[in-house]
């Protein structure tokens, strides 16, 4: 929550200097720093002409109700595009903050560092990125049951590839084209699908625990019975997705588009659906009691028998 009161920052006369209080920690920066590198972020929206911003007239600080521990790293990212060197647990905390501020570039940068770190620690995969590139030049590529853990497969065209039953732990699929690919019963714990194209993919029974799918296109994807615990779907496109009986416990779906999605029997305990689009979604008999739905759009959703 951002608490701003009393002093209006007009569009025509935005001050260069901005004083921020992040959970009580004080920071000083500029409008340009907050809006230039990640123009689609929440910070850019708040401190640009897209929103009216008010400031505490007595102390001159804009208060943001978040932990300020990692905000200096966020400012350094916005200034220089540099990902800090942190422990794995600190990176997890930083990703949480980046998700709140909708800094998708920072999320991808941190995930890339973590993926490289894990790749260095893990035993080598059965194939290399070069091997994969050679394989996908042929038709009907199958990597069924193959261990590809830790590989960087970002930005490749992997559409229609069959990865069923493969070990895909910590694989980096960021910005890859995976349209109509098959991931049935894969072990893809901790994998990175940030901004990947996953339209009409099959993830039936897949284990995606802790995977990053922020900004991914999952239109009409089949995620039935998938383990999606602690996954990040921040601003992902899940229109008409099949999520029947999927486990979305502790998942982050803030700002995601789930219009027309089928969530029959899905587990949504402590799931974050703030600001999500659930219009015409199928939520019959779903337990929403511990689900965060602030600002979610539920127009036309089927909520018959849902527990709220």
């Amino acid at each position: 929550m951002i608490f701003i009161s009393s002093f209006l920052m007009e569009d025509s006369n935005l001050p260069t200097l901005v004083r921020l209080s992040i959970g009580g920690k004080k920071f000083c920066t500029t409008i340009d720093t907050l809006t230039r590198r990640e123009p689609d972020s929440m910070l850019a929206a708040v401190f640009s002409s897209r929103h009216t911003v008010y400031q505490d007239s007595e102390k001159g600080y804009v208060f943001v109700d978040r932990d300020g521990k990692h905000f200096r790293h966020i400012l350094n990212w916005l200034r220089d595009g540099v990902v800090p060197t942190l422990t794995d647990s600190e990176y997890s905390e930083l990703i949480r903050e980046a998700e709140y501020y909708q800094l998708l570039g920072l999320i991808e940068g941190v995930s890339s560092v973590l993926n490289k770190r894990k790749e260095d620690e893990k035993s080598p995969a059965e194939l290399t990125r070069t091997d994969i590139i050679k394989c996908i030049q042929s038709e009907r590529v199958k990597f069924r049951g193959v261990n590809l853990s830790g590989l960087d497969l970002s930005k490749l065209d992997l559409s229609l590839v069959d990865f069923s039953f493969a070990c895909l732990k910590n694989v980096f699929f960021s910005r890859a084209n995976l349209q109509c690919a098959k991931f049935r019963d894969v072990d893809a714990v901790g994998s990175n699908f940030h901004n990947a194209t996953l339209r009409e993919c099959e993830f039936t029974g897949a284990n995606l625990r802790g995977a990053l799918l922020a900004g991914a296109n999952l239109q009409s994807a089949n995620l039935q019975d998938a383990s999606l615990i602690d996954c990040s779907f921040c601003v992902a496109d899940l229109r008409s997705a099949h999520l029947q009986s999927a486990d979305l416990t502790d998942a982050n779906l803030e700002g995601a588009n789930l219009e027309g999605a089928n969530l029959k029997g899905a587990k949504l305990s402590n799931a974050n659906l703030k600001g999500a689009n659930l219009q015409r979604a199928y939520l019959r008999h779903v337990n929403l009691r511990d689900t965060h739905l602030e600002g979610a759009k539920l127009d036309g959703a089927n909520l018959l028998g849902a527990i709220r």
Side-chain angles (χ1 to χ4, degrees):
M1 180 182 72
I2 299 182
F3 174 75
I4 316 169
S5 65
S6 145
F7 178 76
L8 177 64
M9 289 165 55
E10 297 289 348
D11 179 27
S12 58
N13 121 17
L14 289 171
T16 301
L17 205 61
V18 179
R19 294 181 176 86
L20 299 169
S21 175
I22 313 297
K25 290 184 179 291
K26 304 298 175 60
F27 299 89
C28 192
T29 185
T30 65
I31 293 289
D32 185 61
T33 293
L34 295 172
T35 59
R36 177 173 43 85
R37 183 172 299 279
E38 302 236 24
D40 296 322
S41 70
M42 181 267 278
L43 287 171
V46 169
F47 292 99
S48 68
S49 58
R50 284 176 278 172
H51 284 257
T52 298
V53 178
Y54 294 90
Q55 194 174 20
D56 190 319
S57 59
E58 297 180 1
K59 299 181 181 179
Y61 283 91
V62 174
F63 178 73
V64 182
D65 190 15
R66 298 293 292 182
D67 190 338
K69 177 181 177 181
H70 295 296
F71 196 74
R72 67 185 183 91
H73 299 312
I74 287 171
L75 284 181
N76 287 336
W77 163 259
L78 292 172
R79 289 167 180 146
D80 308 315
V82 175
V83 177
T85 302
L86 302 171
T87 64
D88 286 2
S89 61
E90 288 173 326
Y91 274 136
S92 296
E93 294 171 358
L94 180 56
I95 284 178
R96 288 288 186 191
E97 295 306 301
E99 287 178 346
Y100 174 78
Y101 296 113
Q102 297 176 9
L103 299 167
L104 296 184
L106 177 55
I107 293 170
E108 182 174 2
V110 172
S111 297
S112 179
V113 171
L114 284 172
N115 187 71
K116 178 64 167 61
R117 184 178 291 179
K118 290 173 182 176
E119 187 176 348
D120 291 342
E121 294 173 353
K122 298 283 184 181
S123 57
E126 295 178 61
L127 298 172
T128 67
R129 178 183 173 91
T130 302
D131 294 329
I132 300 295
I133 292 172
K134 289 178 181 178
C135 288
I136 60 179
Q137 293 172 352
S138 62
E139 295 181 2
R140 297 187 179 180
V141 181
K142 294 183 179 180
F143 296 112
R144 293 170 66 92
V146 178
N147 179 8
L148 302 176
S149 58
L151 286 187
D152 180 359
L153 302 179
S154 60
K155 302 178 183 178
L156 294 180
D157 185 355
L158 298 163
S159 54
L160 301 171
V161 173
D162 189 351
F163 293 99
S164 298
F165 311 106
C167 180
L168 302 175
K169 290 182 179 179
N170 306 308
V171 172
F172 197 59
F173 285 113
S174 179
R175 301 180 190 276
N177 178 11
L178 291 152
Q179 184 165 336
C180 296
K182 294 182 179 180
F183 294 92
R184 183 181 176 187
D185 291 308
V186 298
D187 185 355
V189 172
S191 287
N192 184 334
F193 293 91
H194 174 242
N195 276 355
T197 299
L198 294 158
R199 292 187 63 169
E200 301 178 35
C201 282
E202 181 185 350
F203 284 95
T204 307
N207 182 4
L208 289 159
R209 186 171 189 140
L212 177 65
L213 296 108
N217 184 342
L218 287 142
Q219 285 186 55
S220 301
N222 187 350
L223 295 123
Q224 292 186 62
D225 300 307
S227 175
L228 306 172
I229 298 169
D230 203 31
C231 283
S232 173
F233 291 94
C234 183
V235 301
D237 188 346
L238 286 149
R239 284 176 290 172
S240 301
H242 303 277
L243 290 153
Q244 297 96 308
S245 302
D247 191 345
L248 286 152
T249 302
D250 295 321
N252 183 6
L253 295 112
E254 184 166 0
N257 189 348
L258 290 129
E259 184 175 353
N262 189 340
L263 290 126
K264 181 181 179 181
K267 296 178 182 178
L268 292 166
S269 177
N270 201 39
N272 179 6
L273 283 156
K274 294 178 182 177
N277 181 3
L278 288 159
Q279 292 175 311
R280 294 183 292 281
Y282 190 95
L283 293 158
R284 290 187 65 173
H285 304 292
V286 174
N287 189 343
L288 299 171
R289 184 168 293 162
D290 298 319
T291 306
H292 305 283
L293 289 163
E294 296 88 339
K297 298 177 182 177
L298 290 160
D299 302 335
N302 189 335
L303 293 161
L304 185 65
I307 303 171
R308 301 179 72 180

